[in-house]
Each structure stands twice: as structure tokens, then as C-alpha cells.
Amino acid sequence: MSSADSRVVQRTCPLCEAHCGIRVEVNDERRQVLGVRGDPDDVFSRGYICPKAYGLKGLQEDPDRLTHPLRRTDSGFQEIGWDEAFELAGSRLAEIKSAHGADAIATYLGNPTAHDLGALLYVQPLLQVLGTRRRFSASSVDQIPKMLSSCLVFGGVLTIPIPDVDRTDYLLVLGANPLVSNGSLMTAPDMPGRLRRLRERGGKLVVIDPRRSETAGVADEHHFIRPGSDAFFLFALVHVLFEEERVSLGPLAEHVAGVDAVRALARDFSPEVVAPVTGISAEVVRRIARELADAPSAACYGRIGTCTQEYGTLASWLVDVVNVLTGNLDRPGGALFPTPAASLGVIGPRTPGYVPYARWHSSVRGLPEFNGELPVATLAEEIDSAGEERIRALFLLAGNPVLSTPNGARLERALESLDFIVSTDIYLNETSRLADVILPPVSLLERSNYDILFHGLSVRNVSKFSPIALEAPENTRQQWEILLELTARVAGIPAAAVDEIVIKTILGSCVGGETSACPEVSEETARKALAEAGRDGGPERILDVLLRTGPYGDRFRGENGGLTLATLERTPEGIDHGPLLSQVPEILETASGKIELAPDLLVGDVERLRRGLAQRREAGGGGLVLIGRRQVRNNNSWMHNVYSLAKGRDRCTLLVHPDDAARHGLRQGERARLRSRAGEIEVPVAVSDEVMPGVVSLPHGFGHDAPGARLSVARERAGVNSNRLCDEQLVDALSCNAVLNGIPVELLPAGPGPRP
Ligand SMILES: Nc1nc2c(c(=O)[nH]1)N[C@H]1C(S)=C(S)[C@@H](COP(=O)(O)OP(=O)(O)OC[C@H]3O[C@@H](n4cnc5c(=O)[nH]c(N)nc54)[C@H](O)[C@@H]3O)O[C@H]1N2
Ligand SMILES: Nc1nc2c(c(=O)[nH]1)N[C@H]1C(S)=C(S)[C@@H](COP(=O)(O)OP(=O)(O)OC[C@H]3O[C@@H](n4cnc5c(=O)[nH]c(N)nc54)[C@H](O)[C@@H]3O)O[C@H]1N2
Ligand code: SF4
Ligand SMILES: [Mo]
């Protein structure tokens, strides 16, 4: 499709974790994206894309997308120059830090940070210079329960077993809808194809979900589960495995500690006892336990629905317990650990058994830190209720917490009260409109990238580099340049000096030192090789170091000796390093060097689960609760301004079971009021038996009618913000991840009525 005035660039789509290969046809002269297609040559995706990939063209061309810094003035936002913007942002942050201490500044990193190598690498020096312990991110409305359980059981926050979907004979999916989300903590382009092939080869797909999701629609079996009760269900599976003597660890046996403790814990959770609470019959639980044990290989997999709920950490843990007890952990067709070509985990010191948990606490509710972060469910109150200790300024990177975190209305009010907000974002949206300065980076196609996190969470070992597809316009900045310059201004040193500290730290972790990956390589040799390769700064230089010192790397011996960034640049379709391999015990970083199946922290939380079981049994089913719903053409809160994705009928509807609708006198298409402790919204009803009785479902990421936001397309189909109902007081007690599924709500007819 290349012609005289067009060019095709092969890279990956950076929108979701599937990371499909795309071919972007561009006209350099007009600086235009002519088209986006799936890349049939991509070693991983083989041409597959979802409709969102086409949205990249719309995103590139969106006149609302920001390209120049903005400053808030009394008469609205005004464009300012980069130097002025950096000076303002840097000096105000430095002033607030020196007047009120480092913890007066909070930081929030949003989800797209994880999809941008430059952001991931260069936010670190900024965080260090700011020195705040009030770091927040989208991780605590997402996967930190899994990170905490993985750290306790396997010894690393990113030592997460990935279901071997391409080889498994039996996939048990809880709280995930990969047909729509395209998979999460399971990077695999073309989930529809992979799940189809699983069934074509005689494998079985079983889905546990309060909604008959799109994935449930193609599964062999779907079972409705009462939201928030997965830990009971999983414990019941474990109960049966022990009771029927089906526990079989295989070669893992000598590497697992705590099996007896798990056996004892599971005693109280028989399928018969938990059935009234989960809504899944004892008979079904027993059969699934037997099938898991008998299958030649099987993988249990849980995602958002199992994390963003009352027992998120326990449910995340029990998923792995089931895999271990059935002998499926670390074996082909089960759940295994990837061997990524480059990893951020190698940076910094490592201490086996170290769990970065509860080293400090939030000041209002006393919620524990995990992995250097406080839970975002406590952000608003740390601003509006912490007195002299309060947060006074906020740095936002690629995040929209007003729409994506619980009690958006309270957070919005709290943000309005801050002394200073800097946002680095590509839109003037519900959150960035509250900023004093916005520093927009170049577009997603105008930056190079390497999926350093997601190659480490992938169902195959693959590596691929994405070159810049389209040259960025004059006078724009890469995300990493913005972060570097801001760091320099806050620190009062030149940007080049900061970049030197960064590379020095990376080289310190990767070469020379006794515990480094390449002790035999000196820093001097490494620097010489980097200079020869033309890597003089920025994220690509760091990536080259990580690749060359990684498991497939050339160890600075020259390319014939192994992988370098240059190799990847010459292999635009990516490199397939093969299927996941068994890695126990080498991968384990627990103090004992074993898989700790019953770590104290988790065992301690089982008492809460027991109490919850008794309460739920007593309550008998319980009242109406709210869950979320991802949709193919949404991407959390921020692709609704691309017309090709946003068009069509209203998707921000509340699914209500026919019985519940009848009980509340609601009919299809009518508007209803939905009320929780946190707030109240009005929303159109879609009556559907897709959801189980007692459960209503609303997608998140809508509510685009904020005054002053520059979202001309999204505003037309604004929808409502479901996180006005999600309650910031509800967290998983252990990880303190927000509960976003299973929110108690009241359903009322629309119209005037008493306000909550
Ligand atoms: N009720 C409910 N709430 C949820 C969820 C749910 O299931 N239910 N899911 C949660 C999950 S899993 C997540 S990950 C979070 C996401 O939470 P957030 O990360 O806070 O929200 P996003 O909607 O992803 O917003 C991303 C922001 O980054 C901007 N952006 C996009 N690309 C770039 C870029 O390349 N650079 C920069 N600088 N900015 C960019 C967008 O304009 C937008 O403002 O939401 C969570 N919230
Ligand atoms: N199209 C699209 N794709 C996306 C995103 C997007 O916004 N849109 N977001 C991306 C992000 S940031 C992430 S983290 C991933 C998430 O990827 P997934 O985890 O696959 O996300 P969801 O589609 O929200 O699936 C969660 C499922 O859990 C169910 N559920 C809710 N509560 C419970 C419960 O208590 N128990 C059980 N068993 N199930 C429950 C819901 O009904 C839903 O079907 O998706 C990514 N991909
Ligand atoms: S599934 Fe869609 S959004 Fe996700 S990477 Fe592939 S094309 Fe992009
Ligand atoms: Mo997410």
C-alpha cells in the first residue's frame, strides 16, 4: 500500500493490553495518517485488530486534542509557550514542597502511563525529586490485589502467573470479559480467535460472571455469581479438591509451602455452605473442581471482577491456589510466568521476601501503602479532611480520576480546592480542566514505544519495538521530554544532568555490580557500545541497556551475541521467543525460595471472609448491587471524543433484570434514578436477563458534560459517571483497592424526589 507519497509503518496499537500489530499508512508531507490496518506479518497478532485501532486515525486528527501547553486564567485556558509552562509548573511545585513539605504534593498516574515506555521510565526521577509519599495511581482501581497476592505468594509484585490460553484444555474465567476487553494480565492479541481455537481443539471454557457477558456467550458454560462472592466460590473449589483427595501438585510439590494451612482454612467453605451466598449450586462447584483436577491441563483466571471487589486480594490469591493444587501452575496449558526480553523489575535493589506493604499510611483513614502507593479511594479525603496535613497540589500523568475513581463528585470538589494542579494529558477533560497548567505530549503515533510491562504479562514470549509513525509537529514535546524537563525545573538542575543520573542508575543495576545481570560487563564498555549504537539519551538508550542485559541480550558483545534494540528495529514484525516456559523455583523471590501458599497476611484476612460468609448467609441474597460493563468501542474514559467510536446508539445504559424492572415499575428505555451512599444519577434503563436478578450494570468512563471540558464529540453523548455511585469508603480491606463491583444501590423512578 506504500506509494510515492505514502509510507507504511509497522508498530503496535498502544490502546489496550492486547497490543496488536498495526500498519499505519502515513503521508509525511501532509503529516497525515491515511489509514490503520491490522498487520498480517505481526508475529503475535497475525493481522487481528479491534475497531478501536481505526480510532487512532480519529485521535490523531481530533481538533480537540491538545498540542500546546495551556494555562488556566480568569477568562479560561490560554495557550502559553513551553518555557513559561515548565517554569510555572516547576517553580510552583518547588515552592509548595518547600513551604509545606514533600507530602503536600500528591501524584496520580493514569492507565496510559503503562502503555508508554517514555512515561514509565521518566516519571521515576520526577517522583524521586518530588519525594512525596502520597503517590496514587489507577492501579488501586485495578490490579493491586493481584500484585499484593503475587508478591506474598511468589515474591514479586509483577510475578503474576499468566493463563496459557493457547495450550490449555480447560479455562475457568472469573470476572473478566476478554472478548470485549481483549484480555488483561494476559496479553494476547485476538482473544476471540484464541478462545475459539481453545474450543475447536476440544478444550472447555467456563465463565463465572454476574452478567452473561460476551465471553460467556461463546463459552461452554456460564454461571451467574453474586458480585463480590468469588472468594467463597474459589474456597469451595479448594474444599472439594482436598475433600475428594484430588490435590496433586506434581513436580511443584517440593517447591510449595503452606498446603496444610490452606486445607485447614478451606474446611469452613464447603460448596453447600457457600452456595446460598454465591448463587452457584454445590453440585456445579463439585463438578467444576473435578473437571479442573481431571483435565490434562487447566487454568483458572480472574481479572477486574475479582480484583475490584470486597475480597479482591483473597480472590486473586485463591485463583493461584487452585492452579497450584491442581498441578497447573508453571506447566504448559496451566498458568506460567513470562520471560520478557526487558524488564523494569531489574532496576534497583532486590531483597527476597520483601513485601512493600504498610510502610506508611494515609492520614485520614490510615490506609496502608502498597508498592510505594496509597489507595486512590483515599485521595479526596486526604485533600478535604486532613487539616494541616492536607494535600495542596497534584501532579497528574495520563489520568482522569474524576471519571475513573470512586466518588467522582467528592474528588472533583476536592480538586477544585487545591492550590495547584499540573496535568500532562492530551485532552482538556473532566479532570484536566481543573488543572492550572496542562503539558500535552505528542500523540500516540508520534512517539516510539516498547511494551515493557505487557511483554512481561504475555501468553507468549514476544518482543517488538514500535517506531515513530508520524513526525511530530514543530514545537511539541515527547512525554519523556516533558517529565525530564519538569524534573529538572523542580530540582533546579539541567535536564541533561537528570538524564545522566537516570542512565547511571540503570547501568548500576544492569552491569558491573555483583548482583547485576551482567557482572562481567563494565560500565565503560556498556557506555561505549551505547554511543556506537547512537543512543545518546532518552528512553531508547535505557531500553537498549535493558534488552542487551536481558535474558536474550547480547551482553554488549555485539549483535551476533544476542538481542539489541537495533535487532528489534530491523525486525518490525516483532520477534517470537516461543511459548512460556516452566520457571519454578528460579523465578521465586520469597524468603523461603518456595511458593508460599498460605502467607500470614492472607491467612489473617480469611477471618474477615468467614464473617462475611455468616453475614451474607443471614442477609439471604441481599439487596440490589451495581457492577460495571466494558464495551468494545470504549477505552476507559478517554476515546469517546473520536466520532467513529462514539457514534451510534446510547451505550451508557443501566441493565436491569426483568424481575427487578417489574418490581420497580420500570420499562425498557425509561429513565431511572440510581442512588448509593456516595451519590445519585439518572440513567436510561435497558431491561435484560443478561444480568442476574439483584444486579444492575452500568459502564464506567462516561459523564462528559463537565463545564469547560473541550470534548465536542463526547459531550454529544455525555452519559453519566458511574463512579458518582461507587463509594470511596468501600475498599478491599487488605490491598485497599477500590470496590467498583457490588455497590449497594437503590433503584427509583426518575423525576423529582427527595435528594440523598
Ligand atoms: N466504576 C469503574 N471504574 C473504573 C473501572 C471499572 O471497571 N469500573 N476500571 C478501572 C481501571 S481498570 C482503570 S485502568 C482506570 C483508568 O483510570 P485513569 O487512568 O485515571 O483513566 P483513563 O480513562 O484511562 O484516562 C486516561 C487519561 O489519559 C489521557 N491520555 C490518553 N493517552 C495519553 C497519553 O499517551 N499521554 C498522556 N499524557 N495522556 C494520555 C486521556 O486523555 C485521559 O485523560 O479506571 C478504573 N475505573
Ligand atoms: N474495550 C475496552 N477494552 C478494555 C478497556 C476498556 O475500557 N474498553 N479497559 C482496559 C483495562 S484498563 C482493563 S484493566 C481491562 C479489564 O479487562 P477485563 O477484566 O476483562 O474487564 P471487564 O470487561 O470489565 O470484565 C470484568 C467482568 O467482571 C464481571 N464482574 C463484575 N463483578 C464481578 C464479581 O464480583 N465476580 C465476578 N466473577 N465477575 C464480576 C463483569 O460483569 C465483567 O464481565 O480491559 C482493558 N481493555
Ligand atoms: S485489541 Fe484493539 S485496542 Fe487493543 S491493541 Fe488490539 S487493536 Fe488496539
Ligand atoms: Mo485497567
Side-chain angles (χ1 to χ4, degrees), residues 17 111 115 138-139 141-143 184 303-304 630 636 700:
E17 294 178 44
N111 170 273
H115 300 267
S139 292
V141 277
D142 192 345
Q143 80 288 351
S184 177
R303 202 46 280 274
I304 278 289
R630 278 180 168 72
N636 293 324
H700 77 283

Side-chain angles (χ1 to χ4, degrees), residues 616-635:
R616 286 181 186 222
R617 277 175 61 94
E618 215 159 283
L624 201 64
V625 293
L626 172 69
I627 62 168
R629 180 165 98 250
R630 278 180 168 72
Q631 296 163 323
V632 171
R633 291 191 288 148
N634 300 348
N635 198 31

Side-chain angles (χ1 to χ4, degrees), residues 233-303:
F233 168 77
L234 288 160
F235 245 139
L237 290 178
V238 171
H239 178 100
V240 176
L241 291 173
F242 280 113
E243 188 187 61
E244 300 190 357
E245 292 180 12
R246 290 171 183 273
V247 170
S248 162
L249 277 64
L252 276 186
E254 58 177 309
H255 305 298
V256 181
V259 175
D260 288 337
V262 172
R263 180 202 307 266
L265 291 172
R267 237 164 247 147
D268 295 344
F269 299 93
S270 73
E272 289 72 17
V273 168
V274 306
V277 167
T278 59
I280 301 178
S281 75
E283 196 189 341
V284 166
V285 174
R286 286 183 184 279
R287 181 173 51 76
I288 292 177
R290 288 172 199 143
E291 287 174 357
L292 281 169
D294 292 346
S297 70
C300 178
Y301 164 70
R303 202 46 280 274

Side-chain angles (χ1 to χ4, degrees), residues 241 246-249 289 292-293 298 321-328 331:
L241 291 173
R246 290 171 183 273
V247 170
S248 162
L249 277 64
L292 281 169
V321 169
V322 167
N323 285 329
V324 168
L325 295 180
T326 53
N328 281 302
R331 86 164 170 199

Side-chain angles (χ1 to χ4, degrees), residues 660-702:
D660 292 318
R663 195 147 36 99
H664 292 93
L666 286 165
R667 280 191 304 257
Q668 175 70 25
E670 279 180 357
R671 296 180 70 78
R673 274 190 297 156
L674 198 60
R675 183 191 284 172
S676 74
R677 191 207 65 86
E680 183 179 306
I681 57 172
E682 236 185 72
V683 66
V685 163
V687 178
S688 166
D689 65 2
E690 236 174 81
V691 283
M692 66 194 288
V695 173
V696 291
S697 164
L698 186 67
H700 77 283
F702 285 94

Side-chain angles (χ1 to χ4, degrees), residues 327-405:
N328 281 302
L329 192 100
D330 203 44
R331 86 164 170 199
L336 301 95
F337 304 99
T339 316
S343 154
L344 295 173
V346 301
I347 304 170
R350 306 168 79 67
T351 317
Y354 185 67
V355 179
Y357 180 71
R359 292 168 297 177
W360 60 88
H361 292 81
S362 68
S363 49
V364 178
R365 240 186 295 171
L367 303 186
E369 155 273 350
F370 172 61
N371 199 32
E373 288 185 20
L374 288 171
V376 72
T378 188
L379 175 56
E381 67 199 7
E382 294 287 294
I383 299 170
D384 68 25
S385 308
E388 276 310 294
E389 300 271 280
R390 71 183 180 277
I391 293 168
R392 292 159 198 264
L394 175 65
F395 167 76
L396 285 158
L397 172 59
N400 193 3
V402 167
L403 293 196
S404 55
T405 71

